[in-house]
């Protein structure tokens, strides 16, 4: 080697990359391994060599950065190098570079003699050129001794030359004082390392080296990774998806999170991170480490990998199918498989009793996805057709005498539900149209209702493309419309529905036409297309379509109702009853809409009458489901939990089967607030919050109630503000009630009064009764608290009239508690009202409502013992703020507060929550009804106990779901 040649000089100086200063050194999930390094550093008899190894993407370089940072923190100088591809072909190159780097380090540290900077080339390069390992080892030993104390960290030694590794091992075995070598290398793990490609080449001369393997990340460690990146608590479904696609490999997990973030697929709601509905799997770019490793292998490995990205679920049969589909021989495919295993891209699935492998799987599902997505449609179709035909042949019992290969069977590791229909959908016209379409339809129907959108809609659409007969195509399109609606693609459902409505054939029944017409209305409502909804309320729009009156008229009337023009909608329903009522199926939705309209105007008998009438036994199951869910929503919207549960029991529908928004209201009333909040966060993050009027604001109002009771007034206020005006022209009764509660909590009763009065004015102007009982009760309570008895009495008169007219248990309860507050505390009249209120609340079975009633009864009637029961019920719902105020009331009444330790923890959690909300000490004092000095003292105690030093650290701990303790 001639050191005078520029290429050689560059090899010595430039191609071994030193790490940039300031590189990030925090690693998630490597705390145990870093502690092991610390232990080695603290042990005077510790090893002279640390060997860090793990598979591609497991974070060896990041870990090496972290180790270097720990060393520097101990005032141990670090010389950091990295090997590159091609170094293995140049004997003793790494050793030469280490010697040069050590001498440069000595010069930079001022340890060089007066002669100045020494050039290692003249004395070391001749030994390297001769291959004189002993001379190079002596030079390295001398350089390390003179530079000590020092740590040499070399990354990616799988590319290092064997001679240099031997020299480094021999030097490490000398155990030089103050010298530590840290080497990292790829090791794909499992089986003989020699079969795993350029993996671990342990320096045999190293002696007692310490190996530190880096395993894949666990589910909790991945959750911590997401929390740190998003500053939010990850929902389990996001972590589960991340684990399934990355298999815990940090680089794959990082690529997924980066890809999702670029597509706005990771959503944050109430401090929790969610994956958006139907978020696509990101496709790795060409320069990603996993794809680079594949491209470097060349052919036939790349073609083999592409074929296996489609065929691997067929196990050993995949080799023959890949050969038949790609033009490669089976021998070439087998060679490609072995190379892919050696490179750590495939894993071999061992067979039973030593009978050879069952098959192969991609080590990274993300890599498999990236390879498959790079296939062209023709190539993917051809491979998919081969898979389908093999599975069909096995199912049909093909003659094994004419088929030398064993029958195709799906591996247990494959998704048995989706694999075959996915392949049929990809193969398309390359298969027999009739059988392919029939199987796709059967698979989609078996997966119905497909809440996770695993493939039902895609398969129905693929079947539509295969069907040629016009009548059958129309039925297939109808199937696609319903599937799109179920999986949440409402715009697509609306567009497809209109396609049928513009030119329906005789194969589409009148009930189906009515359903499609109504779906047009609901689709426009769900995407808040108010101009289109207005057009759907006109006779002209429906007059353009060749529809029977029993389909068009109810849809038009519903459009008027959804536009908040309930009186007009009810009038149209009434005038067209003779058209839609005679048919037991056609009257289902109009009856529900009509009962809802009467409920809006304060008339509850139509709803009660509809619920007393049993459904016709001939109604299809999906229609019975929809109508039961609709009536359940009306009952829950009227806070009638008992009625809703009774209906579900009668119809044999489990609560979990309800649509998400209806299920949320059920959980809210039942006091299962953790579940309700998790459901609400997910719907908000995934843009699935649609609820039809008049319950359109109940999801937001209910969520705000939970947030406020748990000490999150700012979050509740933001949620309400974000919902304002989203339903053009609609009243916002429930938002007004929720906002007034937030304002009162924040010490703004005058503003709350204005909000409540405005809400009542707007409702009165439209003849709107639904929900105004809560407005009137809140206004009466606020005015009574301020001593405005006459104004409170006007609200009470309104409440009493509403209770008598509607017969609603909620309205009666609101009247009783508001009336008691307006009377003298402890008076006989107040006691009598509150006694009835407590009995009524307990009969309704709603924990939070009951707790508020008990707290009011204890304050207004002197029944202090009721406070303990209210305290426990608030605990069931996790209402930290309500429990805090109840604790204060217990102490004021001279009663013991149960669970002192738990109470202290709750106080600190509540204080941390309010800090995370961004409230000042003065605002916190208002919310807690304390002095500012008391809040400052509580904050000081929180810092002292937790070890956290600032509000910022408190916020970080809360946002990432960590305990309120400082990090060590």
């Amino acid at each position: 080697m001639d050191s005078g040649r520029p290429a050689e000089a560059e090899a010595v100086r430039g191609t071994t990359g030193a790490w940039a200063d300031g590189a990030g050194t925090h690693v998630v999930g490597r705390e145990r391994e870093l502690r092991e390094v610390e232990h080695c550093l603290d042990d005077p008899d510790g090893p002279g060599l640390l060997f860090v190894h793990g598979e591609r993407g497991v974070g060896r370089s990041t870990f090496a950065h972290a180790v270097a940072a720990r060393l520097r923190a101990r005032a141990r100088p670090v010389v950091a190098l990295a090997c590159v591809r091609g170094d293995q072909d140049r004997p003793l190159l790494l050793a030469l570079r280490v010697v040069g780097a050590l001498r440069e380090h000595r010069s930079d540290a001022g340890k060089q003699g007066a002669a100045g900077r020494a050039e290692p080339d003249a004395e070391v390069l001749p030994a390297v050129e001769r291959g004189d390992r002993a001379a190079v080892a002596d030079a390295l030993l001398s350089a390390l001794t003179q530079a000590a104390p020092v740590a040499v960290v070399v990354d990616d030694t799988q590319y290092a030359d064997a001679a240099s590794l031997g020299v480094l091992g021999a030097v490490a075995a000398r155990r030089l004082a103050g010298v530590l070598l840290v080497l990292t290398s790829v090791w794909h793990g499992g089986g003989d390392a020699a079969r795993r490609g350029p993996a671990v080449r342990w320096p045999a001369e190293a002696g007692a080296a310490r190996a530190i393997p880096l395993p894949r990340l666990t589910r909790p460690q991945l959750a911590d990774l997401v929390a740190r990146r998003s500053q939010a608590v990850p929902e389990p479904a996001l972590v589960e998806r991340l684990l399934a696609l990355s298999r815990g490999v940090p680089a794959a997990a990082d690529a997924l999170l980066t890809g999702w973030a670029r597509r706005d697929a990771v959503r944050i709601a109430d401090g929790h991170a969610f994956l958006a509905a139907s978020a696509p799997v990101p496709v790795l770019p060409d320069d990603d480490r996993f794809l680079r490793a594949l491209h470097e292998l060349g052919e036939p490995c790349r073609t083999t990998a592409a074929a296996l990205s489609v065929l691997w679920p067929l196990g050993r049969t995949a080799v023959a199918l890949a050969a038949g589909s790609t033009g490669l021989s089976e021998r070439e495919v087998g060679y490609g498989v072995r190379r892919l295993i050696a490179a750590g891209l495939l894993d071999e699935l061992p067979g039973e009793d030593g009978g050879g492998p069952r098959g192969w799987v991609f080590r990274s599902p993300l890599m498999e996805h990236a390879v498959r997505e790079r296939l062209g449609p023709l190539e993917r179709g051809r491979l998919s057709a081969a898979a389908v035909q093999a599975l069909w042949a096995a199912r049909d019992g093909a003659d094994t005498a004419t088929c030398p290969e064993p029958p195709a069977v799906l591996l247990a590791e494959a998704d048995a539900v989706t694999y075959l229909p996915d392949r049929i959908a990809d193969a398309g016209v390359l298969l027999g149209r009739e059988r392919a379409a029939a199987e796709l339809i059967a698979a989609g129907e078996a997966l119905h209702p497909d809440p996770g959108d695993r493939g039902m809609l895609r398969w129905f659409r693929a079947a539509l493309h295969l069907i040629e007969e016009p009548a059958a195509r129309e039925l297939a399109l109808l199937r696609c419309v319903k599937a799109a609606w179920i999986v949440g693609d409402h715009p697509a459902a609306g567009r497809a529905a209109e396609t049928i409505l513009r030119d329906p054939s005789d194969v589409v029944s009148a009930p189906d036409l009515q359903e499609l017409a109504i779906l047009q209305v609901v689709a426009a409502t769900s995407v808040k297309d108010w101009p289109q909804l207005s057009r759907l309320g006109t006779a002209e729009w429906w007059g353009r379509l060749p529809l029977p009156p029993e389909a068009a008229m109810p849809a038009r009337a519903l459009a008027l109702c959804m536009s908040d023009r309930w009186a007009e909608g009810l009038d149209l329903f009434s005038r067209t009853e003779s058209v839609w009522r005679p048919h037991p199926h056609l009257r289902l939705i109009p009856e529900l809409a009509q009962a809802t309209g009467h409920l809006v105007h304060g008339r509850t008998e139509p709803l009660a009458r509809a619920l007393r009438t049993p459904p016709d036994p001939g109604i299809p199951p999906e229609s019975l489901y929809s109508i039961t869910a609709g009536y359940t929503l009306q009952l829950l919207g009227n806070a009638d939990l008992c009625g809703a549960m009774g209906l579900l029991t009668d119809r044999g529908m489990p609560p979990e089967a309800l649509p998400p928004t209806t299920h949320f209201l059920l959980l809210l009333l039942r006091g299962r607030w953790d579940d309700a909040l998790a459901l609400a966060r997910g719907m908000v993050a995934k843009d699935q919050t649609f609820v039809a009027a008049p319950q359109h604001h109940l999801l937001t109002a209910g969520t705000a109630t939970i947030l406020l009771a748990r000490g999150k007034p700012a979050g509740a206020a933001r949620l309400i503000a974000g919902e304002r005006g989203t339903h053009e022209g609609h009243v916002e009764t429930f938002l007004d009630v929720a906002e007034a509660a937030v304002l009162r909590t924040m010490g703004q009763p005058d503003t709350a009064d204005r909000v409540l009065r405005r809400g009542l004015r707007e409702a009165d102007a439209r003849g709107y009764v639904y929900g105004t009982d809560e407005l009137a009760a809140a206004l009466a309570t606020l005015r009574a608290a301020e001593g405005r008895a006459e104004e409170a009495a006007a609200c009470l008169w309104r409440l009493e009239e509403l209770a008598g007219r509607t017969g609603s248990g909620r309205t009666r309860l609101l009247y009783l508690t508001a009336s008691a507050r307006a009377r003298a505390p402890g008076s006989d009249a107040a006691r009598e009202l509150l006694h009835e209120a407590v009995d009524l609340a307990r009969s309704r079975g709603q924990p939070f409502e009951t707790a508020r009633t008990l707290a009011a009864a204890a304050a207004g009637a002197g029944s202090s013992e009721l406070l303990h029961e209210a305290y426990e019920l608030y605990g069931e719902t996790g209402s930290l703020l309500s429990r805090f105020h109840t604790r204060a009331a217990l102490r004021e009444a001279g009663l013991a507060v149960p669970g002192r330790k738990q109470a202290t923890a709750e106080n600190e959690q509540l204080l941390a929550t309010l800090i995370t909300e961004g409230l000042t000490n003065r605002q916190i004092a208002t919310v807690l009804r304390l002095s500012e000095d008391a809040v400052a003292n509580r904050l000081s105690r929180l810092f002292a106990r937790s070890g956290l030093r600032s509000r910022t650290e408190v916020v970080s701990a809360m946002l990432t779901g960590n305990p309120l303790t400082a990090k060590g």
Side-chain angles (χ1 to χ4, degrees):
M1 183 184 293
D2 182 0
S3 63
R5 287 179 296 177
E8 298 302 341
E10 181 65 18
V12 175
R13 301 286 182 196
T15 59
T16 296
W19 298 335
D21 292 336
T25 56
H26 180 81
V27 285
V28 173
R30 301 298 182 218
E31 292 78 10
R32 180 182 61 80
E33 289 80 7
L34 285 172
R35 285 196 299 271
E36 186 175 352
V37 172
E38 295 278 6
H39 177 73
C40 292
L41 295 176
D42 292 333
D43 184 0
D45 298 322
L49 174 71
L50 299 181
F51 197 82
V52 180
H53 60 86
E55 65 185 291
R56 181 180 290 104
V58 83
R60 293 168 293 102
S61 298
T62 303
F63 184 79
H65 278 287
V67 169
R70 296 284 177 110
L71 290 165
R72 292 187 181 104
R74 289 167 166 256
R76 176 76 68 92
V78 176
V79 172
L81 303 170
C83 297
V84 296
R85 185 175 296 279
D87 285 359
Q88 65 267 29
D89 300 326
R90 310 174 77 172
L92 295 173
L93 178 62
L94 174 60
L96 174 64
R97 288 171 175 164
V98 173
V99 172
L102 286 168
R103 295 192 177 180
E104 289 187 13
H105 161 71
R106 289 186 63 223
S107 176
D108 293 340
K111 295 182 180 181
Q112 193 71 26
R117 189 172 187 141
E119 285 290 338
D121 301 24
E123 56 187 88
V124 183
L125 278 177
V128 170
E129 291 172 343
R130 294 193 309 271
D132 189 344
R133 294 175 56 173
V136 173
D138 287 342
L140 176 59
L141 187 64
S142 173
L144 286 168
T145 303
Q146 294 175 24
V150 70
V152 177
V153 183
V154 185
D155 194 20
D156 284 336
T157 58
Q158 71 271 12
Y159 298 129
D161 64 280
S164 289
L165 290 177
V167 168
L168 289 172
V171 170
R174 300 286 294 271
R175 305 283 293 277
L176 300 176
V179 174
L180 177 67
L181 300 182
V182 181
L183 309 183
T184 80
S185 177
V186 167
W187 182 36
H188 302 308
D192 182 4
R195 293 193 303 107
R196 297 285 172 170
V200 173
R201 283 179 287 170
W202 191 285
E205 300 88 342
R210 176 69 58 85
I212 301 179
L214 297 181
R216 297 178 177 185
L217 299 181
T218 63
R219 183 180 285 101
Q221 290 168 340
L222 285 173
D224 188 24
L225 175 66
V226 178
R228 290 181 182 277
R229 286 194 55 159
S230 65
Q231 282 294 288
V233 180
E235 283 299 295
L238 168 56
V239 179
E240 199 64 36
R241 184 73 169 143
L242 189 64
L243 178 62
L245 290 169
S246 71
R247 298 263 172 85
V249 176
D254 181 75
L256 278 165
L257 291 174
T258 300
W260 281 329
R262 286 174 179 166
R263 293 165 177 79
D264 191 30
V266 177
R267 310 282 177 78
I268 309 299
D270 186 35
H272 287 67
F274 294 81
L275 193 60
S278 302
V281 179
V283 178
L284 294 174
D286 288 337
D287 61 354
D288 181 87
R289 73 189 72 203
F290 299 106
L291 287 177
R292 285 202 312 268
L294 174 60
H295 294 321
E296 287 166 0
L297 293 176
E299 294 295 351
C301 297
R302 285 183 293 195
T303 298
T304 300
L308 289 181
S309 71
V310 173
L311 299 172
W312 74 261
L314 298 177
R316 283 184 290 184
T317 314
V319 169
L321 293 174
S325 303
T326 62
L328 297 174
S329 67
E330 290 192 34
R331 183 176 180 180
E332 288 173 312
V333 173
Y335 170 77
V337 167
R338 291 191 295 275
R339 289 287 309 279
L340 290 166
I341 292 171
L345 299 177
L346 287 184
D347 274 338
E348 188 175 276
L349 298 174
E352 297 179 0
D353 302 325
R358 291 185 292 118
W360 307 269
V361 295
F362 279 82
R363 198 172 183 86
S364 166
L366 186 61
M367 168 73 170
E368 173 197 333
H369 174 75
V371 173
R372 186 169 56 248
E373 288 301 303
R374 280 170 166 76
L375 292 172
L378 224 46
E379 190 176 5
R380 186 190 294 202
R382 188 168 59 249
L383 291 165
S384 294
V388 173
Q389 288 161 350
L391 289 170
W392 280 354
R395 186 196 298 171
D396 297 342
D399 185 358
T400 56
T402 61
C403 182
E405 292 296 328
V409 178
L410 284 180
L411 291 171
E413 289 78 5
D415 188 337
V417 174
T418 64
Y419 180 75
L420 179 57
D422 274 346
R423 298 289 71 78
I424 295 173
D426 282 342
V429 295
L430 297 178
L431 301 169
R433 285 177 176 269
E434 187 174 343
R435 180 172 184 176
E439 293 221 10
L440 287 169
I441 291 170
E445 290 175 342
L447 206 56
H448 181 278
D450 193 18
D453 194 14
R454 295 176 65 190
M456 177 182 67
L457 177 58
R458 177 173 182 256
W459 302 336
F460 284 161
R461 285 172 172 166
L464 175 65
H465 290 307
L466 292 170
I467 296 171
E468 296 178 304
E469 198 273 315
R473 279 186 60 80
E474 191 149 21
L475 291 176
L477 182 57
L478 176 62
R479 195 177 288 112
C480 291
V481 170
K482 295 180 179 181
W485 181 262
I486 288 171
V487 301
D489 192 351
H490 297 172
R495 289 191 298 270
E498 187 170 352
T499 300
I500 298 176
L501 292 175
R502 289 188 182 281
D503 187 22
S505 69
D506 294 340
V507 300
V508 184
S509 66
D512 281 333
L513 286 174
Q514 186 199 68
E515 186 175 355
L516 290 170
I518 286 173
L519 190 145
Q520 281 278 282
V521 174
V522 183
T525 310
S526 70
V527 297
K528 300 173 184 175
D529 187 350
W530 309 122
Q532 173 65 2
L533 192 61
S534 178
R535 288 190 288 270
L536 290 170
T538 64
E540 291 77 15
W541 197 93
W542 296 102
R544 298 180 300 123
L545 302 177
L547 297 178
E550 60 268 27
M553 291 299 184
R556 180 189 164 203
L558 183 64
L560 292 169
C561 293
M562 294 298 98
S563 300
D564 219 25
R565 296 156 63 185
W566 291 95
E568 296 175 62
L570 284 174
D571 178 63
L572 185 55
F573 274 128
S574 178
R575 288 189 285 110
T576 59
E577 272 199 55
S578 60
V579 172
W580 52 261
R581 187 171 291 282
H583 195 292
H585 193 174
L586 289 171
R587 69 169 178 248
L588 291 176
I589 296 176
E591 275 184 345
L592 173 58
Q594 197 174 43
T596 303
H598 286 300
L599 191 65
V600 166
H601 291 112
R603 297 184 291 271
T604 56
E605 176 52 31
L607 177 62
R609 185 169 59 250
L611 291 171
R612 286 195 298 267
T613 306
D616 187 276
I619 294 174
E622 61 270 19
S623 298
L624 182 61
Y625 165 83
S626 299
I627 212 69
T628 300
Y631 280 114
T632 302
L633 176 60
Q634 304 312 313
L635 292 167
L636 294 172
N638 209 36
D640 186 357
L641 177 62
C642 296
M645 294 303 296
L647 176 63
L648 292 175
T649 301
D650 290 344
R651 302 283 172 90
M653 181 187 294
E656 294 73 20
L658 289 168
T661 46
T662 308
H663 192 203
F664 166 82
L665 293 177
L666 186 79
L667 294 170
L668 175 73
L669 297 183
R670 294 179 73 179
R672 292 174 51 188
W673 279 12
D674 286 341
D675 295 335
L677 199 54
L679 186 59
R681 290 187 194 114
M683 287 188 289
V684 169
K686 298 173 184 179
D687 297 326
Q688 296 176 338
T689 59
F690 167 68
V691 190
Q695 290 85 18
H696 47 292
H697 294 311
L698 274 178
L699 174 65
T700 298
T703 304
T705 297
I706 297 176
L707 295 179
L708 182 60
R710 292 187 165 190
K712 297 183 177 182
R718 286 193 298 271
L719 190 65
I720 294 165
E723 181 72 3
R724 290 281 191 194
T726 57
H727 287 68
E728 187 178 288
H730 289 61
V731 296
E732 298 182 336
T733 302
F734 294 109
L735 295 183
D736 294 332
V737 174
E739 184 178 3
V742 173
L743 291 167
R744 286 196 67 189
T745 300
M746 296 297 292
Q748 301 176 52
D750 291 343
T751 309
D753 187 288
R754 287 196 297 273
V755 169
L756 293 169
R757 284 188 287 111
R758 180 193 64 202
L760 283 171
R761 282 197 308 271
E762 291 180 356
D764 290 346
R766 302 187 188 202
Y768 214 92
V769 174
Y770 185 68
T772 57
D773 52 352
E774 294 199 32
L775 284 170
L779 194 56
T781 301
L782 190 152
R783 290 175 171 178
E786 295 182 338
R788 298 154 64 185
E790 290 185 8
E791 296 174 66
C795 297
L796 293 174
W797 176 86
R798 180 178 189 136
L799 269 176
E800 187 174 25
E801 189 273 332
L802 283 174
R805 189 203 313 181
T806 64
S808 166
R810 174 184 67 180
T811 311
R812 177 65 181 171
L813 182 60
L814 290 170
Y815 167 72
L816 292 171
T817 53
S819 296
R821 286 190 175 104
R823 286 165 170 75
S827 66
D828 290 341
R831 288 176 183 275
E832 185 176 345
L833 290 166
L834 289 170
H835 180 75
E836 181 185 349
V838 169
D839 288 344
L840 178 56
R842 284 174 172 158
S843 72
R844 286 167 54 78
Q846 300 177 32
F848 189 71
E849 179 185 80
T850 303
R852 288 200 297 188
T853 304
L854 292 169
S863 304
S864 302
E865 67 275 5
L866 297 178
L867 283 173
H868 277 120
E869 186 180 351
Y871 187 70
E872 293 303 318
L873 287 172
Y874 281 137
E876 289 180 15
T877 59
S879 304
L880 287 178
L881 182 57
S882 301
R883 266 172 74 92
F884 180 88
H885 291 148
T886 308
R887 277 196 293 274
L890 283 167
R891 294 190 184 99
E892 188 176 343
L895 300 172
V897 176
R900 181 176 178 181
K901 186 175 181 180
Q902 181 182 355
T904 300
E906 286 184 6
N907 285 342
E908 291 186 349
Q909 185 75 11
L910 176 59
L911 182 58
T913 299
L914 293 168
I915 291 171
T916 305
E917 286 281 281
L919 303 189
T920 64
N921 280 12
R922 176 175 292 182
Q923 290 172 319
I924 293 173
T926 299
V927 171
L928 298 181
R929 303 170 194 167
L930 298 173
S931 68
E932 286 189 58
D933 287 343
V935 169
N937 290 335
R938 287 172 179 265
L939 188 56
S940 297
R941 289 197 297 271
L942 173 63
F943 287 153
R945 190 203 64 78
S946 66
L948 300 171
R949 293 167 294 182
S950 66
R951 284 174 172 256
T952 301
E953 290 188 0
V954 171
V955 171
S956 179
M958 292 291 288
L959 290 179
T960 55
N962 291 315
L964 292 177
T965 53
K967 298 295 179 186

